[in-house]
Amino acid sequence: MTTFYKEFQKVFVSVDCIIFGFEANKLKILIGKRQMDPGRGEWSLYGGFVRNDESIDDAADRTLFNLTGLRNVYMRQVGAFGKIDRDPGERVISIAYYALINVKDYDEKLRVQHGVEWVNIEDLPQMYSDHNEMVSQARKQMSRKMKTEPVGFELLPDLFTLTQLQRLYEAVYGEEIDKRNFRKRIKDMEFIEQTELIDKKSSKRGAHLYRFNKKAYKEDPNFKL
């Protein structure tokens, strides 16, 4: 450890993870009760402090893996949150990240072990410090990204109906989408493939199941919703 910068004040750096999921046509976020002071018992995102031997991206990866047990998850940085009084304990600057996972991939035992739960984004309680602001910023960024890149498929199972896909975009955007126009645009995208399989749970007639073909998308990345 060097002896440089002794004349400057030291601050803590943390990461907070906004983990999005999609279930029952609702956009959800994984949150839990804070297990440390200050703010013990308050609703909170899941996070942790950056270690001396890791980058902030590595810290976010570690934090996400500890909570979900999942690797190779789609995750992007939201930004830095550093208001002077954001943490009553110490001067803490937090780097927020958002991640997209399929709820079905998350081990229920891990959820119980960490004491977290899926909460509809429209029903989020008031959370610790500026965590609600983090969620708001993450949703805006994800909405913009989903209009130009097919990242929304990270929230869906491998096989999905067009209704499920539409409900996902409506949940993220927070508004209804015209069904006819939506399906027309989807059917123009060759990398969203209709399979021969039928989902008979959603309606009596059943609905075709679709899949996202990553290889076809890489060959012709023309996506706009």
Side-chain angles (χ1 to χ4, degrees), residues 66-109:
N66 287 344
L67 178 60
T68 67
L70 300 175
R71 296 286 192 190
N72 300 317
V73 172
Y74 180 92
M75 182 165 60
R76 294 293 183 272
Q77 187 182 122
V78 177
F81 293 77
K83 290 181 180 178
I84 295 174
D85 58 350
R86 66 173 300 275
D87 191 305
E90 290 283 355
R91 182 71 203 281
V92 180
I93 295 173
S94 183
I95 314 300
Y97 289 77
Y98 77 86
L100 310 180
I101 69 172
N102 184 346
V103 173
K104 302 296 183 184
D105 291 338
Y106 185 34
D107 190 334
E108 182 68 9
K109 292 180 181 178

Side-chain angles (χ1 to χ4, degrees), residues 38-50:
R40 185 183 299 270
E42 294 183 32
W43 287 106
S44 172
L45 296 171
Y46 192 83
F49 288 99
V50 179

Side-chain angles (χ1 to χ4, degrees), residues 40-225:
R40 185 183 299 270
E42 294 183 32
W43 287 106
S44 172
L45 296 171
Y46 192 83
F49 288 99
V50 179
R51 297 171 179 170
N52 287 335
D53 61 349
E54 63 185 358
S55 68
I56 56 174
D57 286 348
D58 289 341
D61 286 337
R62 170 179 56 81
T63 300
L64 182 66
F65 178 73
N66 287 344
L67 178 60
T68 67
L70 300 175
R71 296 286 192 190
N72 300 317
V73 172
Y74 180 92
M75 182 165 60
R76 294 293 183 272
Q77 187 182 122
V78 177
F81 293 77
K83 290 181 180 178
I84 295 174
D85 58 350
R86 66 173 300 275
D87 191 305
E90 290 283 355
R91 182 71 203 281
V92 180
I93 295 173
S94 183
I95 314 300
Y97 289 77
Y98 77 86
L100 310 180
I101 69 172
N102 184 346
V103 173
K104 302 296 183 184
D105 291 338
Y106 185 34
D107 190 334
E108 182 68 9
K109 292 180 181 178
L110 276 177
R111 187 191 67 76
V112 174
Q113 175 185 326
H114 289 287
V116 293
E117 51 188 91
W118 290 107
V119 177
N120 291 347
I121 193 168
E122 307 298 348
D123 301 324
L124 275 183
Q126 182 59 45
M127 293 189 289
Y128 179 76
S129 186
D130 48 12
H131 288 190
N132 289 78
E133 182 182 350
M134 291 180 180
V135 172
S136 177
Q137 291 297 321
R139 185 180 189 180
K140 289 177 182 177
Q141 291 187 22
M142 179 175 61
S143 297
R144 290 195 294 267
K145 182 71 72 173
M146 283 178 61
K147 290 180 179 179
T148 57
E149 296 181 28
V151 299
F153 296 102
E154 304 287 345
L155 296 166
L156 292 172
D158 291 336
L159 295 174
F160 52 85
T161 66
L162 290 186
T163 297
Q164 282 179 295
L165 185 59
Q166 180 177 337
R167 295 289 180 263
L168 168 63
Y169 277 85
E170 289 176 336
V172 172
Y173 296 161
E175 59 184 28
E176 291 186 7
I177 298 174
D178 181 78
K179 179 178 178 179
R180 181 178 298 179
N181 290 336
F182 181 82
R183 297 201 172 199
K184 183 178 183 300
R185 280 179 286 177
I186 291 298
K187 290 182 178 180
D188 287 338
M189 299 175 184
E190 295 183 359
F191 46 83
I192 300 179
E193 300 176 336
Q194 179 179 310
T195 71
E196 297 179 355
L197 301 174
I198 300 294
D199 173 31
K200 296 184 178 179
K201 297 179 181 179
S202 57
S203 67
K204 293 181 180 179
R205 294 178 57 188
H208 278 286
L209 288 167
Y210 289 74
R211 68 163 64 96
F212 172 61
N213 187 322
K214 292 183 180 180
K215 181 179 180 181
Y217 173 71
K218 289 181 180 179
E219 294 174 352
D220 183 22
N222 181 23
F223 184 93
K224 188 175 182 180
L225 271 176

